[in-house]
């Protein structure tokens, strides 16, 4: 994991506290999901036997048709939904008492930036996570500066969220979770609704961020370019998991699950 | 003179960038200080209770909900429908907010809407904001929810019909409150402003009722769970009584005052609200004279000094509060 | 992004002394100024004129342009109609009498003075409120109100409301546009169908907007949970009162006191 920033080192060193196998962070998977099952109150089964292991520094695509269970899975990763089965984030189990720590570790970026950015100003939004982690005011300000610099939006702290373009909103959305020092970034449809230039900037940004990343998307071109590993979900199950290059060549597999070969 | 008010309340609506009923958004300067303060006191008390009630166990979910719903009411006030001759019907939303979110949340939402309209768009004044919130947010929620709560167990048709009546009455209550405040401030003649306001809002209220009923019917059809939840979670007898009482006041007072304004003025005089017939107390102090000194030069100076003192005292109190809150919290 | 969002924005960016004043002082001084206007007696022409001078001066210092405040200051004017009756309500020297339906109205000099004074008070107050909004970002205004003891819950609600005002207004505009696109009007009229039918369409739109808003608040709540929200709405405290703020505040207080004295001389 290329560590380029002081803050990232900071976060990295905390990881060992939760580590199961004696302070060797490299060997703890960033994310471990074991036979996860979930049904909504109306009886609709959204996840069946979902198991997934993501290593530190990996960049993984989560693809599949709408309604396959991708978003439901993502909402489980930081305990907003909870089904049957085990989830661990960097060695820490997702359980009720662990939720505050888990939510700092999993940087979940929702699809619609207007849902993600719920504060009047950019500063308040990026500060929201660190503030609710109980950090001191100085620490919060440092983290906001750092996170905005990471997404190349340092000058935007005082801007009003509703004045931003779609691409800017998306970058700020990512900053709102970076400021929490997450172990893993989880992004839902990050390129949806962006114009070509904003999409290009986003891909560049994501490729530069050192974090372990899980991206749910329909944008197969982005998958091919950015995400070396691909997980295909359909009808509440993981139906394929492998190297993007290889799965992309399996046109029959892609077509069987409503995906397009880019 | 009704027709003048009819024009007055529709023309600005068409010209304005911001939605809402201009005839109920009182600007600063139209109410005197005692009435403005009375409005703020009543509003502050009700809102304080609403804040306490809402800060219960559901509050973490309630905060984003109420915030977005306040934005919804603001946006929904843009939705209009053509009536006739270039006029249009549109929504005030007080009854809808209270029926769909519950009375306390509805009050907080409407207070936020009126507050933002005043602060951001100068749509309604700041010093008179208490009165505006009372007229458009609190009375409307009280009547809207109280009446609806009374028929919760009834069939869909009955509930919708009552919601419509409640929506109409809530607008009438707002108009009644506004005209009474204008009159008590010495800004308008009761015998003109009351029938004119009530006449115009009897029409505006029909639009309000129609949209409210249609919106509720739509919600009941698509997500009936939303309306059931808010209504059942809260005990209701007190609301029904209070809502009915407020509605009765509107129903009885409006025709009485319109037909017999002198009667109301006599009542107000007997209760000590106003001094002498139409000459309501515009200032705390009479314009140029202190009563016991008569109209002398000394009296003028004393009145001037007293006015200055009041302003200075208010300033000192506010500065005190500021200094306390400015020290590191 | 959309046109009307900018039409909503009343803030004029700037670096003036007024812009940089602590928002708390600005709120307090604005309210004080309006209270002072309300307290000025009828026909205190000199004090009214001085108060307008204060507004013009503030506008110049704030660099928002005198025209801006002036142009927008007529928003409250239609309401003056409600005060027209004051002309006929105050005892005084009769000027003229009007017979209108059931009303027998006598205009008096005192009534006329009252009416003009009310309109001027309102016009002055609106201009000060415009200046406040033009020189203060709304989030700063919210911080100020929080410090001035507005309940935390209300501040949080209003902050959310401000954020989603634009988003939901956009959605409402889209609904309205969609309705317009589908209602092919052959002649300039009131639109098709009966009034009831049209009202029902409008109500359906409001209901639809309600549901979308409700669902959005669910997603926002999830986004908040994801970032560690536990029910407490925490904010930082970015404003510090400086000496210059106290000074301006004190000056403004003295000025309003002075206006009161002038108004009663």
């Amino acid at each position: 994991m290329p560590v380029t920033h002081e803050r990232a080192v900071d976060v990295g060193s905390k990881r060992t506290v939760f580590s199961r196998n004696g302070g060797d962070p490299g060997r703890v998977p960033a994310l471990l999901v074991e036979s996860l099952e979930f049904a909504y109150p109306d009886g609709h089964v959204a996840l069946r036997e979902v198991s997934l292991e993501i290593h530190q520094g990996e960049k993984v695509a989560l693809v599949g048709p709408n309604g396959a269970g991708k978003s439901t899975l993502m909402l489980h990763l930081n305990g907003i939904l909870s089904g049957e089965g085990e989830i661990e984030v960097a060695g820490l189990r997702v359980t009720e008492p662990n939720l505050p720590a888990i939510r700092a570790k999993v940087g979940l970026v929702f699809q619609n930036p207007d849902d993600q950015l719920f504060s009047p100003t950019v500063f308040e939004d990026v500060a929201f996570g660190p503030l609710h982690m109980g950090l001191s005011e100085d620490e919060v300000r440092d983290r906001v500066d750092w996170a905005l610099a990471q997404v190349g939006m340092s000058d935007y702290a005082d801007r009003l969220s509703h004045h931003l373009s779609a691409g800017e909103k998306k970058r700020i959305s990512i900053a709102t979770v970076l400021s929490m020092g997450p172990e893993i970034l989880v992004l839902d449809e990050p390129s949806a609704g962006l114009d070509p230039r904003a999409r290009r900037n986003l891909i560049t940004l994501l490729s530069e961020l050192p974090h372990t990343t899980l991206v749910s998307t329909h944008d197969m071109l982005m998958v091919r370019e950015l995400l070396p590993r691909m997980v295909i979900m359909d009808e509440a199950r993981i139906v394929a998991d492998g190297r993007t290059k290889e799965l992309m060549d399996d046109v029959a597999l892609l077509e069987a699950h409503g995906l397009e070969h880019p | 003179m009704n027709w003048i008010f009819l024009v007055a309340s529709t023309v600005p609506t068409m010209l304005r960038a911001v939605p809402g009923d201009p005839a109920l958004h009182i600007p600063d300067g139209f109410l005197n200080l005692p009435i403005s303060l009375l409005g703020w006191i009543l509003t502050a008390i009700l809102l304080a209770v609403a804040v306490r009630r809402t800060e219960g166990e559901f509050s973490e979910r309630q905060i984003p909900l109420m915030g977005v719903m306040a934005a919804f009411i603001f946006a929904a006030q843009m939705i209009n429908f053509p009536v006739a001759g270039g006029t249009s019907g549109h929504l005030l939303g007080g009854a809808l907010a209270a029926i769909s979110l519950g009375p306390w949340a509805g009050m907080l939402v409407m207070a936020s809407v009126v507050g933002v309209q005043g602060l951001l768009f100068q749509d309604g004044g700041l010093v008179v904001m208490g009165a505006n919130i009372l007229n458009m947010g609190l009375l409307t929620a009280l009547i809207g929810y109280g009446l609806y709560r009374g028929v919760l167990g009834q069939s869909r048709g009955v509930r919708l019909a009552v919601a419509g009546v409640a929506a109409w009455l809530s607008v009438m209550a707002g108009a009644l409150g506004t005209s009474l405040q204008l009159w008590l401030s010495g800004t308008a003649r009761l015998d003109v402003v009351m029938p004119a306001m009530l006449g115009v809002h009897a029409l505006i209220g029909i639009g309000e009722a129609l949209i409210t009923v249609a919106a509720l019917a739509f919600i009941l059809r698509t997500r009936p769970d939303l309306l059931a939840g808010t209504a059942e979670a809260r005990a209701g007898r007190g609301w029904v009584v209070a809502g009915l009482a407020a509605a009765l006041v509107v129903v009885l007072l409006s025709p009485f005052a319109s037909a017999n304004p002198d009667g109301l003025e006599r009542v107000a005089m007997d209760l000590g609200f106003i001094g002498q017939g139409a000459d309501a107390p515009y200032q705390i102090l009479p314009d140029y004279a202190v009563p016991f000194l008569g109209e002398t030069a000394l009296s003028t100076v004393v009145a001037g000094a007293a006015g200055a003192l009041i302003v200075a005292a208010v300033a000192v109190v506010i500065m005190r509060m500021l200094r306390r809150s400015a020290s590191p919290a | 992004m959309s046109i009307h969002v900018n039409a909503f924005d009343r803030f004029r960016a700037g670096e003036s002394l007024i812009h940089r004043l602590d928002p708390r002082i600005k709120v307090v001084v604005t309210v004080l100024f309006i209270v002072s206007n309300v307290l000025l007696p009828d026909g205190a022409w000199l004090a009214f004129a001085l108060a307008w001078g204060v507004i013009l001066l503030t506008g110049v210092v704030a660099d928002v342009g005198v025209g801006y405040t002036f142009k927008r200051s007529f928003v409250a004017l239609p309401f003056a109609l409600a005060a027209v009756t004051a002309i006929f309500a105050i005892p005084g020297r009769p000027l003229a009498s009007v017979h209108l339906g059931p009303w027998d109205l006598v205009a008096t000099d005192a009534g006329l003075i009252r009416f003009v004074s009310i309109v001027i008070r309102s016009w002055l107050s609106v201009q000060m409120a415009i200046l406040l909004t033009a020189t203060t970002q709304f989030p700063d205004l919210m911080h100020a109100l929080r410090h001035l003891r507005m309940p935390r819950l209300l501040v949080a609600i209003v902050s959310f409301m401000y954020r989603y005002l634009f988003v939901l207004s956009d959605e409402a505009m889209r609904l309205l546009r969609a309705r317009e696109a589908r209602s092919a009007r052959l002649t300039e009229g009131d639109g098709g169908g009966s009034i009831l039918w049209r009202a029902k369409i409008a109500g359906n739109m409001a209901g639809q907007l309600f549901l979308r808003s409700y669902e959005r608040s669910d997603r926002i709540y999830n986004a908040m949970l994801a970032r560690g929200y536990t029910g407490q709405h925490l904010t930082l405290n970015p404003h510090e009162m400086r000496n210059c703020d106290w000074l301006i505040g004190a000056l403004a207080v003295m000025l309003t006191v002075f206006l009161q004295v002038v108004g009663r001389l």
Side-chain angles (χ1 to χ4, degrees), chain C residues 4-243:
Chain C
H4 75 282
V5 161
N6 292 330
F8 272 4
D9 234 329
R10 306 299 200 219
F11 177 70
R12 320 294 280 181
E15 285 295 317
S16 76
L17 174 70
I18 310 288
H19 282 85
R20 281 181 284 120
L21 268 185
D22 191 286
R24 279 166 290 187
I25 281 292
K26 283 193 266 189
V27 170
V28 170
V29 167
T30 306
V31 170
L32 205 61
F33 185 81
I34 296 174
V35 168
S36 161
N37 287 338
V38 173
L39 277 177
L40 284 175
D42 288 347
W45 311 123
L46 182 60
F48 289 149
L50 284 175
W52 193 40
V54 172
I55 287 167
L56 289 180
L57 189 70
T58 315
V60 168
V61 173
D63 202 22
V64 289
V66 177
Y68 178 76
T69 327
F70 190 73
K71 214 164 52 199
R72 299 219 36 246
S73 66
F74 297 101
V75 281
L77 213 57
F79 206 90
L81 215 68
V84 165
T85 55
I87 299 175
F88 315 100
I90 318 294
R93 194 166 55 83
L95 298 175
S97 66
V98 189
H99 300 278
L100 240 176
W103 293 293
D104 207 0
L105 303 167
V106 181
T108 62
D109 57 345
L112 196 61
I113 289 176
R114 161 80 46 95
F115 169 70
V116 175
S117 299
I118 288 172
V119 172
I120 290 178
R121 282 190 196 100
S122 166
W123 183 68
L124 291 172
S125 304
V126 160
Q127 291 187 67
M128 204 52 160
I130 291 170
L131 279 176
L132 173 70
T133 316
T135 60
T136 318
Q137 291 268 38
F138 196 78
D140 289 336
L141 220 49
M142 280 299 105
H143 285 298
L145 292 178
R146 174 71 201 112
H147 286 299
L148 293 170
R149 298 280 189 278
M150 182 159 138
R152 197 180 283 277
L153 182 72
L154 262 180
V155 175
I157 295 174
V158 173
S159 298
F160 273 107
M161 177 188 171
Y162 177 71
R163 171 67 181 89
Y164 289 100
L165 201 65
F166 308 96
V167 178
L168 296 189
S169 296
D170 253 357
E171 276 187 28
M173 298 293 269
R174 274 202 297 276
L175 286 171
L176 286 170
R177 237 175 278 138
R179 178 182 65 178
E180 227 160 88
R182 274 176 299 176
S183 65
R185 253 180 245 169
L186 294 177
T187 51
E188 278 298 308
D190 293 330
S194 67
I195 288 185
L196 270 181
W197 185 77
R198 277 178 255 151
K200 192 182 160 199
I201 301 283
N204 281 348
M205 286 161 65
Q208 205 172 345
L209 194 61
F210 176 93
L211 290 186
R212 285 191 199 176
S213 309
Y214 198 97
E215 280 157 12
R216 183 183 289 280
S217 80
D218 259 341
R219 298 197 301 271
I220 293 165
Y221 180 55
N222 278 342
M224 292 169 76
L225 284 181
R227 274 153 56 204
Y229 177 71
T230 52
Q232 268 176 315
H233 206 76
L234 306 170
T235 46
L236 286 180
N237 170 1
H239 299 292
E240 295 253 3
M241 295 283 276
R242 297 157 302 162
N243 285 339

Side-chain angles (χ1 to χ4, degrees), chain A residues 170-181:
Chain A
K170 192 44 91 176
R171 296 174 88 84
I172 302 291
S173 295
I174 293 172
T176 62
V177 301
L178 286 182
S179 62
M180 299 175 77

Side-chain angles (χ1 to χ4, degrees), chain B residues 9-324:
Chain B
S9 60
T10 51
V11 168
T13 315
M14 293 186 290
L15 296 176
R16 278 144 36 110
V18 185
D21 177 0
L24 294 185
H25 289 82
I26 307 172
D28 278 319
F30 284 82
L31 296 186
N32 68 5
L33 202 56
I35 296 297
S36 303
L37 287 179
L38 189 66
W40 266 119
I41 291 169
L42 290 176
T43 295
I45 292 172
L46 273 171
L47 287 184
V49 178
V51 165
R52 273 240 326 271
R53 288 298 171 94
T54 318
E55 272 178 341
E57 50 186 310
F58 297 114
S59 72
E60 52 181 86
R61 174 69 187 83
Q62 288 265 308
I63 288 177
L65 176 66
M66 288 189 288
V68 174
M69 282 306 153
F72 156 73
I73 294 286
F74 181 92
Q77 290 184 350
M78 292 177 163
I79 296 172
N80 57 0
F81 65 97
V83 176
T87 60
S88 58
H90 48 91
L91 188 71
L92 191 68
L96 179 62
I99 291 172
S100 58
L101 302 171
W104 297 119
M107 284 185 182
L108 291 173
V109 162
M110 288 309 289
S112 305
V113 172
V114 175
V116 168
Q117 285 172 337
L119 269 175
L120 202 55
F121 305 111
Q122 284 76 50
D123 201 10
L126 304 183
V127 170
V128 297
M129 192 184 282
N132 279 333
I133 292 177
L134 189 68
N135 297 338
M136 285 182 284
L138 308 186
L139 289 179
T140 50
L142 181 69
I143 292 183
Y145 184 76
L147 296 192
Y148 185 78
R149 185 68 186 76
V151 292
L152 248 193
Q154 310 295 318
S155 72
R156 198 184 117 99
V158 173
R159 272 184 290 162
L160 287 178
V162 169
V165 173
W168 184 80
L169 275 173
S170 73
V171 171
M172 292 299 273
L176 182 68
T178 305
S179 22
L180 286 178
Q181 290 151 7
L182 286 170
W183 164 60
L184 287 172
S185 294
T187 302
R189 267 178 75 146
L190 186 67
D191 58 346
V192 183
V193 80
M194 185 88 116
M197 273 286 208
L198 291 177
V200 169
H201 285 87
L203 295 178
I204 290 179
I206 293 174
E208 174 86 4
L210 291 177
I211 299 188
T212 302
V213 169
L216 285 173
F218 183 90
I219 298 166
L220 278 173
R221 207 162 50 232
T222 21
R223 287 284 302 273
D225 53 311
L226 297 186
L227 290 184
T230 52
E232 278 165 10
R234 291 163 179 84
R237 179 140 312 164
W239 283 106
V240 179
V241 174
L244 276 174
L248 264 182
V249 169
V250 176
V251 170
L252 296 179
L253 193 61
S254 306
F256 169 71
S258 303
N260 186 10
D262 296 341
L264 192 61
E265 296 205 346
R266 211 168 311 120
V267 172
M269 208 160 31
D270 291 345
L271 291 174
F273 268 118
I274 54 174
Q276 185 199 27
D279 193 15
Y282 194 81
Q283 280 84 36
I284 295 179
L285 295 160
D287 295 359
Y288 301 98
V290 180
F292 54 87
L293 289 174
E295 265 187 69
T296 60
L298 179 64
S299 171
T300 306
V301 172
V302 171
L309 268 178
I310 292 174
V311 172
V314 171
V316 168
V317 169
I318 297 176
M319 286 295 171
R320 269 249 171 100
M321 281 174 57
L322 259 184
R323 193 182 285 278
R324 240 188 304 141

